[in-house]
Amino acid sequence: MLSLAFIVLSLGTALPLAAATGLPDVLHRDVVVIGGGASGAYAAVRLRDDFNKSIALIEKRDRLGGMVNTYVDEKTGATYDYGVQSFLNVSKAAEFFARFNISIGSGSTSPSLITEYIDFNTGKKVDFTPPSSSKQLAAIAKFLKVIEPWESMLSPGYWNFPQTNNIPEDFLIPFGEFLTKYGLEDGAPLIYSTTGLGVGNMSEVATMFALQSFGWDMARGMTGKMGLFSPTSGGNQALYNAIAKNLGDDVLYSSTVIDSRRTEFGVSLAVRNHKTNKVTRIIARRLLVAIEPTEVNMKPLDLSPSEWNTLSKFTYSNEFTGLVDNAVFNTSYYYFNLPSTAAPNHYLVFQDEPMVASFQYTGLEHLFRVMIIGNTTSTADEAKVLAQNSFNTLLKSGRLSKSIRDQKLSWAAFSMHGPMHARVSVDQVKCGFFQDLYKLQGARSTWWTGGAFSANFQTQLWQFDDGLIPKILEGL
Ligand SMILES: Cc1cc2nc3c(=O)[nH]c(=O)nc-3n(C[C@H](O)[C@H](O)[C@H](O)COP(=O)(O)OP(=O)(O)OC[C@H]3O[C@@H](n4cnc5c(N)ncnc54)[C@H](O)[C@@H]3O)c2cc1C
Ligand SMILES: *[C@@H]1O[C@H](CO)[C@@H](O)[C@H](O)[C@H]1NC(C)=O
Ligand SMILES: *[C@@H]1O[C@H](CO)[C@@H](O)[C@H](O)[C@H]1NC(C)=O
Ligand SMILES: *[C@@H]1O[C@H](CO)[C@@H](O)[C@H](O)[C@H]1NC(C)=O
Ligand SMILES: *[C@@H]1O[C@H](CO)[C@@H](O)[C@H](O)[C@H]1NC(C)=O
Ligand SMILES: *[C@@H]1O[C@H](CO)[C@@H](O)[C@H](O)[C@H]1NC(C)=O
Ligand SMILES: *[C@@H]1O[C@H](CO)[C@@H](O)[C@H](O)[C@H]1NC(C)=O
């Protein structure tokens, strides 16, 4: 029988030179988790503290929290979350904050702003009037009724995703067509401006992927059927800092896997700290992958051709958020990008990607949150150039409080979110993609969580983890 010792030995021969300068530390763990964002950090805490399993968490950055980005104003200590903004009260989410003594509140400190619709390509005002807020909310309530019967097929996760013949027809039609079919167009501006933007062309994307970016719990949250909260102090990073403190040395920061061997008996990973170059070998009975399964991320993971054949079908989007500072912005405004063809009330017409979605006042000094929606290949540098170009267009066309040619935007913060919104083509869905994807669960001692395997929200991923953990623990 192939033993763990054998795995160690065979991996040893594959270890790169850096390790040859000294024997790497070897850690033996029940479960090793890759990725310390929403899904990985949560799973690590629960596995170790609630199920008494030894863990190691590998995180490439020097902090936990992934897409959470909390800006701290050095002068006043005030915080602003320019990445993840709030948590849906899904399942036991509130309890998870309580265990770290983090008080939560619903009080949004965002200032109330005038939304101005502008075509950022031309700088012209768009005479667009969204439906009244009561009409928007009525549409979202109706939307929830329409989608309610399908919840267990997509949430949390694809465990019950139907076989080809039973996939609801509505899942695979373009989302714009779906909204029109059920008379839900009034809901489109809210869906788009909150979390729908970023999933690709929202009018064209298959409905099931739009539902993963704004589905049941968002509809409940928007219509008051489910709470939305965030920490009362310290911003959203406060939670992940508390998790970091709790997990202590069980987290390997600034680290990625450089080599691995996965078998049905366990896994052996070589992990390099990119600051110290130190290589640690982790031998574990189970692996939980909590990063997006992209080519770059998967490269050191010893994928079989059939594993890669499935995972390589995903396409992703890139979103970018940051804080920009320039005194010519008017702090009364939320500058929102729409094409001129959206006027006066075409709710399903959106700007093509890549594009800057908005500049929104934060309430802090002159800082505006900028949201940039890239395409599958957009880079951080391209996103910053887009923001600068849009800003110049707004300046030149007199949309800001001064009309001058151009000026530099100053960046107080910037974050790349992506690859995210993993999705596949309608044909692939029909050919059993999600059944193939879930066959990976548990194979070669490896389990999978994160946005590509569930819905793209913090607490929904926690709920997904809660369902996954008993499976991971079977036989452990
Ligand atoms: C602008 C924006 C706003 C959002 N707002 C909200 C919101 O208000 N509420 C909400 O619920 N959700 C929100 N979301 C969605 C939410 O952030 C995601 O659903 C969630 O973060 C996904 O969690 P994850 O664990 O899959 O990935 P992530 O949270 O991205 O975590 C992945 C982690 O793995 C690390 N990592 C990546 N690659 C490697 C590697 N190769 N090796 C080691 N570590 C690696 C990363 O550094 C990161 O820490 C928002 C997303 C964006 C982009
Ligand atoms: C936790 O696990 C350790 C190691 O397996 C074991 O010695 C200990 O008794 C366990 N504690 C509890 C409370 O189950
Ligand atoms: C939370 O507060 C309680 C009571 O003050 C304390 O016993 C506990 O250790 C605290 N937990 C954390 C994670 O700080
Ligand atoms: C979250 O939901 C639970 C019930 O599931 C409820 O007891 C609690 O008050 C809610 N908290 C918030 C902040 O919405
Ligand atoms: C987005 O979808 C709409 C509706 O199908 C279409 O008219 C538009 O051309 C699409 N945009 C891009 C960039 O594909
Ligand atoms: C993404 O946008 C850039 C800039 O417009 C463009 O050059 C590139 O071809 C686009 N990529 C895809 C995959 O559409
Ligand atoms: C900012 O906008 C408000 C509201 O339209 C307006 O009253 C104010 O004069 C503007 N400020 C500047 C500096 O342009």
Side-chain angles (χ1 to χ4, degrees):
M1 193 177 94
L2 194 63
S3 69
L4 275 176
F6 173 76
I7 299 173
V8 178
L9 287 176
S10 55
L11 180 65
T13 59
L15 271 181
L17 271 181
T21 55
L23 277 179
D25 282 353
V26 180
L27 305 177
H28 292 266
R29 292 290 188 268
D30 291 320
V31 186
V32 57
V33 183
I34 307 177
S39 59
Y42 178 88
V45 169
R46 295 224 59 212
L47 283 164
R48 196 193 71 176
D49 296 350
D50 298 341
F51 295 94
N52 191 32
K53 296 299 167 199
S54 59
I55 61 111
L57 174 58
I58 302 163
E59 167 55 51
K60 78 172 173 189
R61 295 192 243 206
D62 57 7
R63 64 166 180 98
L64 298 182
M67 296 186 201
V68 165
N69 296 114
T70 303
Y71 173 81
V72 184
D73 183 341
E74 278 176 8
K75 273 178 260 165
T76 62
T79 60
Y80 182 84
D81 279 290
Y82 65 95
V84 171
Q85 300 207 297
S86 53
F87 297 84
L88 284 156
N89 190 15
V90 175
S91 185
K92 292 178 279 185
E95 279 171 40
F96 194 63
F97 284 80
R99 72 190 281 165
F100 293 106
N101 292 340
I102 292 179
S103 64
I104 55 176
S106 56
S108 156
T109 48
S110 299
S112 67
L113 301 168
I114 305 164
T115 302
E116 179 138 273
Y117 299 98
I118 303 170
D119 186 333
F120 285 14
N121 294 321
T122 60
K124 289 211 174 81
K125 260 181 93 157
V126 180
D127 192 10
F128 172 82
T129 313
S132 67
S133 51
S134 63
K135 274 191 170 167
Q136 295 195 38
L137 293 180
I140 299 298
K142 196 170 153 199
F143 167 79
L144 180 57
K145 278 225 171 71
V146 173
I147 66 173
E148 219 144 36
W150 304 321
E151 185 163 13
S152 67
M153 298 178 185
L154 292 179
S155 184
Y158 300 93
W159 300 108
N160 302 318
F161 194 78
Q163 300 289 333
T164 307
N165 300 335
N166 297 322
I167 301 172
E169 207 183 298
D170 287 328
F171 273 22
L172 305 180
I173 65 174
F175 191 52
E177 204 176 306
F178 172 82
L179 292 176
T180 309
K181 176 176 172 184
Y182 291 99
L184 302 170
E185 297 95 323
D186 283 355
L190 183 75
I191 294 173
Y192 178 72
S193 64
T194 51
T195 54
L197 86 188
V199 73
N201 185 337
M202 197 181 96
S203 288
E204 279 196 331
V205 72
T207 296
M208 60 172 288
F209 297 113
L211 295 184
Q212 293 300 54
S213 74
F214 185 111
W216 298 266
D217 291 332
M218 271 300 279
R220 291 182 185 112
M222 293 296 116
T223 52
K225 290 201 174 87
M226 178 180 276
L228 275 156
F229 57 76
S230 48
T232 47
S233 70
N236 295 336
Q237 188 62 45
L239 173 70
Y240 288 95
N241 287 348
I243 294 174
K245 191 171 165 202
N246 173 56
L247 291 178
D249 292 342
D250 283 332
V251 187
L252 287 82
Y253 291 100
S254 309
S255 297
T256 55
V257 176
I258 53 170
D259 196 11
S260 67
R261 192 172 149 102
R262 298 178 296 124
T263 77
E264 64 183 292
F265 306 103
V267 301
S268 175
L269 309 179
V271 177
R272 175 183 282 146
N273 180 311
H274 295 277
K275 286 192 174 150
T276 63
N277 263 331
K278 185 179 159 190
V279 175
T280 302
R281 189 179 300 148
I282 302 176
I283 299 170
R285 298 176 65 196
R286 302 280 189 276
L287 166 65
L288 177 60
V289 181
I291 54 179
E292 294 286 0
T294 60
E295 188 171 3
V296 170
N297 279 341
M298 293 301 102
K299 205 158 194 173
L301 284 188
D302 173 34
L303 291 194
S304 68
S306 78
E307 285 174 321
W308 183 238
N309 186 37
T310 300
L311 295 174
S312 63
K313 294 199 166 86
F314 275 128
T315 57
Y316 302 88
S317 305
N318 294 293
E319 275 181 54
F320 308 82
T321 52
L323 297 175
V324 290
D325 190 351
N326 193 298
V328 303
F329 280 122
N330 184 323
T331 56
S332 301
Y333 281 96
Y334 178 21
Y335 304 93
F336 197 91
N337 188 3
L338 277 184
S340 55
T341 47
N345 59 359
H346 300 291
Y347 305 144
L348 292 172
V349 179
F350 309 107
Q351 209 65 278
D352 291 346
E353 298 157 1
M355 54 108 180
V356 175
S358 58
F359 292 102
Q360 175 185 14
Y361 185 51
T362 61
L364 296 180
E365 314 249 332
H366 270 102
L367 293 178
F368 279 69
R369 181 194 199 204
V370 55
M371 173 79 82
I372 303 153
I373 308 300
N375 60 18
T376 56
T377 56
S378 301
T379 64
D381 286 342
E382 285 167 10
K384 284 186 172 175
V385 168
L386 271 177
Q388 181 68 54
N389 290 346
S390 292
F391 175 67
N392 289 346
T393 304
L394 297 181
L395 257 178
K396 266 181 250 174
S397 56
R399 293 276 81 80
L400 304 181
S401 62
K402 270 194 191 125
S403 180
I404 34 183
R405 272 205 70 72
D406 46 42
Q407 238 180 48
K408 266 207 102 54
L409 269 180
S410 146
W411 291 90
F414 183 81
S415 181
M416 171 158 183
H417 299 281
M420 62 185 291
H421 290 298
R423 52 197 184 274
V424 296
S425 71
V426 164
D427 282 344
Q428 282 156 351
V429 175
K430 286 186 189 157
C431 288
F433 175 81
F434 286 101
Q435 282 79 19
D436 288 345
L437 184 70
Y438 270 45
K439 276 189 206 133
L440 301 181
Q441 294 285 16
R444 301 177 74 195
S445 308
T446 304
W447 296 84
W448 306 78
T449 182
F453 286 79
S454 175
N456 209 35
F457 291 87
Q458 297 269 319
T459 52
Q460 282 190 293
L461 285 165
W462 299 355
Q463 187 185 25
F464 178 73
D465 282 354
D466 285 341
L468 190 64
I469 286 169
K471 301 179 201 282
I472 298 174
L473 294 178
E474 255 171 52
L476 196 71

